[in-house]
Amino acid sequence: MCSLALFPPPLAPGRATLCESNNELLSGTASGRPQKQESCPPSLCFPRESLKLHSRTESSSKAAFLDHSETLWMRSAAAWRDGGCTGLLDEITNSNTEVPKWLSVSSGFSLALLRWFSSFHGSMFPHLTLSSEDMLAEFSQVLNWSDCVVRAFAWHPHTDKFALALLDDSIKIYNPKSGTAPTLKHRLQRSVAALQWKPLCASALAAACQNCLLVWHVDPCSLSTRPSSGCAQVLSHPGHSPVTSIAWSPSGTLLLSASPMDTAMMVWDVASESCVPLQRVGGGGVTFLSWSPDGSHVLASTPSALFRVWETRMWTCERWPCVKGRCQSGCWSPDGSRLLFAVQGEAVIYAMTFSDKPAGVPTCASTGPQAAAAVADLSETTFNTPEGDITVGGEIQSLSWDPTGERLAVLLKGDPQAADRPTIIAVFKTRTNPIFELLPCGFVQGEPDAEPRLMQFHPNFQHGALLTVCWSNGRITHVPFYFLSAGVPHFGLGGSPSLPRPQEGAADFANQSLFTELLS
């Protein structure tokens, strides 16, 4: 395991990453970036000024209406709906002239006891004291989610269309082959934290919102640009909000949802709009979900220093403690046999390998890993460039592994207050068979003053891998990595090249291995 010092240095200011060709990342001036490269979707831009943001929050809308008299029961019902048990007790306590004295006193005592318990519980799990917006920003896979123009992005697993959620709470669907770009809006569609298309389905899109889940059913053949809110299913469960992460099963039969406020992970049957809570003691909630491509396991992170890996046949789980902080992000290899994850406060990528399965043995019968191995150290590394020293590395925001298993993208937070510590995407070349290896590829950078916020690989790019990056200035670009996949047989002189091996001589950055199981 080596450091980022094996990577080529970052690009000079004013230059942006264009693509990878012949095992080398190519760059050009930001102004000279082509609007559409061959076989790539077009780039998009959503200026912040073009978005109509909400001028009034829902909680403050009462001030727009004249005050009128309501009965105690009406006020109590509204307090229960808006604030739960605490709101009800507070309403009864403040209505001491309308209720018996013993009821007002007992309600006040119960309210004080409940607040004391809540403060004690909050001291154990500090995230419970955050507002819904702050909680979504804290646990989102998007860097600086609360201030990001594009808050969520999702490629369709089988076609070239994608969906994105914007700062104004609208969801837009784009298909390069169609001139229609539907815009989805719903009164419950607030603070969208995640999007995911249903596998094996052309029309179903799940959205994780502040108070519920929405499952949109958008006919791909429809010419409507504003589908009715009746096209959305509303899935909600008491205490299960805000929703920070969702994950469809690879077969599309089940949908998982997670909330930091709820210790249970919800397993939804969308057709019947019913759910089964999977609850375990410890963790203080669930923040991030990732379903393995083979459907055998689910990664479930918590706000505390532990995460769980569930097997999906009997829905049992293994509990994995972390040393420093919570599991920030994770991704699976294409065959589901290996899990890579990052821990908050650490600059290390860890890997867990699930044992090989004998022929005829069900996927879920495999035994779990005994320990997690550190496969990459991304500690801060200083590069000497003609423009000055640039420091790259540090804490990891998110991970993304392309479906071929040959490119791994890592979003590094950097330091937004320091110009010489930029937020940047580090890309590795990877190989999973016959052994697991990591090799340096290079850094992905964009326009000046634009920082990466969110990234995702295209699930079906035919020429290698395609990384979609959402930037802080509202632009969405696509960086292609052109290569022949080693997992697919090719014939003739243009056969699939294997990953390069370390060679003696000149310092060839692309050929220096960061990690190999042969050396671990």
Side-chain angles (χ1 to χ4, degrees), residues 127 130 133-141 145 326 328 344 397 413:
H127 72 280
L130 299 176
E133 285 276 337
D134 292 339
M135 200 174 295
L136 288 167
E138 175 69 20
F139 300 113
S140 173
Q141 293 293 289
W145 174 89
R326 69 173 186 269
Q328 170 65 26
Q344 184 188 40
Q397 174 67 23
K413 289 184 178 181

Side-chain angles (χ1 to χ4, degrees), residues 32 62 64 85 89 98 120 149 176 224 275 278-279 285 298 304 307 371 444 481-482 520:
K62 293 181 180 179
C85 184
L89 291 174
E98 302 178 58
F120 175 74
V149 176
S224 172
C275 66
L278 294 179
Q279 195 160 16
V298 173
S304 58
F307 65 92
V444 172
F481 296 79
Y482 296 113
S520 62

Side-chain angles (χ1 to χ4, degrees), residues 1 14-15 20 25 39 70-71 81 85 87 154 180 189 217-218 225 290 313 346 370 409 439 450 461 520:
M1 181 175 65
R15 300 188 68 82
E20 179 197 352
L25 283 180
S39 71
E70 291 181 333
T71 65
R81 182 184 66 249
C85 184
T180 303
Q189 190 170 284
H217 299 272
V218 183
T225 58
S290 180
R313 182 170 178 266
E346 295 189 32
Q370 300 301 313
L439 299 97
F461 190 62
S520 62

Side-chain angles (χ1 to χ4, degrees), residues 292 294-297 332-338 353-368:
S292 65
D294 65 347
S296 62
H297 294 88
W332 295 89
S333 62
D335 61 358
S337 65
R338 184 171 283 103
T353 304
F354 295 83
S355 61
D356 294 334
K357 301 170 281 294
V361 177
T363 300
C364 57
S366 62
T367 58

Side-chain angles (χ1 to χ4, degrees), residues 54 56 58 169 187-192 208-211:
H54 300 290
R56 183 188 299 274
E58 193 169 335
D169 292 329
R187 63 181 182 86
L188 297 177
Q189 190 170 284
R190 294 296 183 95
S191 303
V192 180
C209 305
Q210 182 170 327
N211 296 314

Side-chain angles (χ1 to χ4, degrees), residues 155-162 175-177 197 201-202 458-460:
W155 277 107
H156 192 282
H158 312 298
T159 66
D160 278 338
K161 69 179 178 181
F162 57 85
N175 187 340
K177 299 179 181 178
W197 290 93
C201 179
H458 190 295
N460 290 297

